[in-house]
Amino acid sequence: MTELTQRTAAMVKAATAIGGVLVEAGLEWSTDEPVSSSAIGSIFSSMAEDALVRRLSRRERARIITALGAAKQEINRRWNEGEDLRDDGFFATNEEPGGDSFFEEIADGVIVASQREHEQRKLQHLGCLIANVAYESRVDRVTANWALRQASDLSWTHYMLLAVVANPDVVLPEHDLSVRPSWQSHSTWEAFSELGERGRNLMHSDRTGEHSFPNFRDHPRKQVRSPSGQLLALLLCLDRIPREDLEAVAEVLHEE
């Protein structure tokens, strides 16, 4: 079997997992899209059908469609760039009650989270989680569920802050404020603190080059993503948040 044939067969096997959901959601794959008849397509189809027979409001349906549309776009982008879907059994049915694949479990979790998500700007990033889990064999079931819980719990402000600490073109303040000038400033600093070592441990102070005895206070400008924060940012495509949004949240942190 040629490499091209093997790659196409793997996609067909995996993409049967996605297509159906999109069809039922009014997001049919076009005929020239490589994922259209794959295993990912099939799993996605049955899941969308199941999701959309639930009693959904117009807004809930729109949220689900937005997230699944982003998942579809990212899956096709990575495939067209030559990447292969994972082939480690993540799309296969399992022996647990219900028989859902691990992929279905995560995708259904994203659908449920999207249905209830009031912050619209998070939806495309939730869709990215579905797509990236479909490719990254290093992300096991436990880790994927952890990422989903984090992604659901965090606010859009958390998303922007986790993105801005990794963007060298957006400058953060050197220190926290002892007196915060507004509730927006207070709430943004609280969100910043929640991501740190005493909170979710998604970022920490970069102590490269320091002596073993730490500084009394960690400067916001020295914060970097922890390994967990880096993984979450990659799965949610947080580095695609527009620079103007990152500059806006940094400006709030600079308020005095």
Side-chain angles (χ1 to χ4, degrees):
M1 184 181 292
T2 67
E3 182 178 349
L4 178 60
T5 303
Q6 288 178 330
R7 185 166 185 258
T8 303
M11 170 60 93
V12 169
K13 180 181 178 182
T16 304
I18 286 185
V21 157
L22 297 174
V23 170
E24 293 300 323
L27 291 169
E28 296 184 22
W29 305 97
S30 32
T31 54
D32 60 343
E33 289 176 353
V35 217
S36 58
S37 60
S38 78
I40 248 190
S42 172
I43 292 180
F44 235 137
S45 288
S46 62
M47 290 177 49
E49 182 177 1
D50 177 68
L52 295 173
V53 295
R54 306 169 190 169
R55 291 186 177 181
L56 299 176
S57 70
R58 176 183 57 82
R59 288 185 177 180
E60 288 174 332
R61 182 185 179 91
R63 291 168 189 157
I64 292 172
I65 290 174
T66 298
L68 292 181
K72 169 192 172 184
Q73 184 177 17
E74 182 65 8
I75 286 167
N76 278 329
R77 182 194 68 77
R78 293 187 65 165
W79 173 264
N80 290 329
E81 290 182 0
E83 297 187 58
D84 293 324
L85 290 164
R86 62 194 299 168
D87 61 355
D88 57 351
F90 204 74
F91 298 105
T93 57
N94 65 69
E95 297 179 357
E96 296 179 9
D100 289 344
S101 67
F102 296 158
F103 176 80
E104 287 176 283
E105 179 177 283
I106 302 305
D108 189 51
V110 170
I111 288 172
V112 171
S114 300
Q115 176 187 346
R116 300 298 185 186
E117 182 52 63
H118 66 286
E119 291 192 280
Q120 300 291 325
R121 290 171 292 184
K122 287 177 57 180
L123 295 173
Q124 292 203 358
H125 297 281
L126 289 171
C128 278
L129 177 59
I130 294 177
N132 288 324
V133 165
Y135 281 95
E136 300 295 341
S137 58
R138 292 170 295 179
V139 179
D140 58 87
R141 180 191 191 185
V142 173
T143 304
N145 273 297
W146 169 85
L148 174 56
R149 287 193 301 274
Q150 296 289 327
S152 180
D153 289 346
L154 295 177
S155 68
W156 174 247
T157 299
H158 288 119
Y159 279 27
M160 290 190 292
L161 292 170
L162 196 54
V164 77
V165 295
N167 190 316
D169 297 326
V170 182
V171 179
L172 294 176
E174 291 187 356
H175 53 80
D176 193 351
L177 303 177
S178 56
V179 178
R180 296 167 182 172
S182 67
W183 279 112
Q184 182 182 21
S185 171
H186 172 78
S187 299
T188 304
W189 276 111
E190 287 296 296
F192 193 90
S193 176
E194 288 163 2
L195 294 173
E197 292 171 280
R198 294 187 179 182
R200 294 179 179 269
N201 199 28
L202 296 176
M203 61 186 189
H204 57 74
S205 182
D206 182 5
R207 297 188 176 91
T208 304
E210 285 188 4
H211 297 293
S212 58
F213 195 80
N215 289 329
F216 174 65
R217 298 184 72 177
D218 290 331
H219 295 170
R221 193 175 295 178
K222 296 191 67 175
Q223 295 297 301
V224 295
R225 292 172 184 161
S226 67
S228 296
Q230 180 66 5
L231 173 64
L232 187 64
L234 288 172
L235 291 175
L236 296 177
C237 305
L238 294 188
D239 289 336
R240 297 183 193 172
I241 295 177
R243 177 171 172 172
E244 54 265 30
D245 288 334
L246 304 186
E247 290 175 340
V249 77
E251 184 177 349
V252 174
L253 295 176
H254 277 286
E255 285 182 10
E256 296 184 2

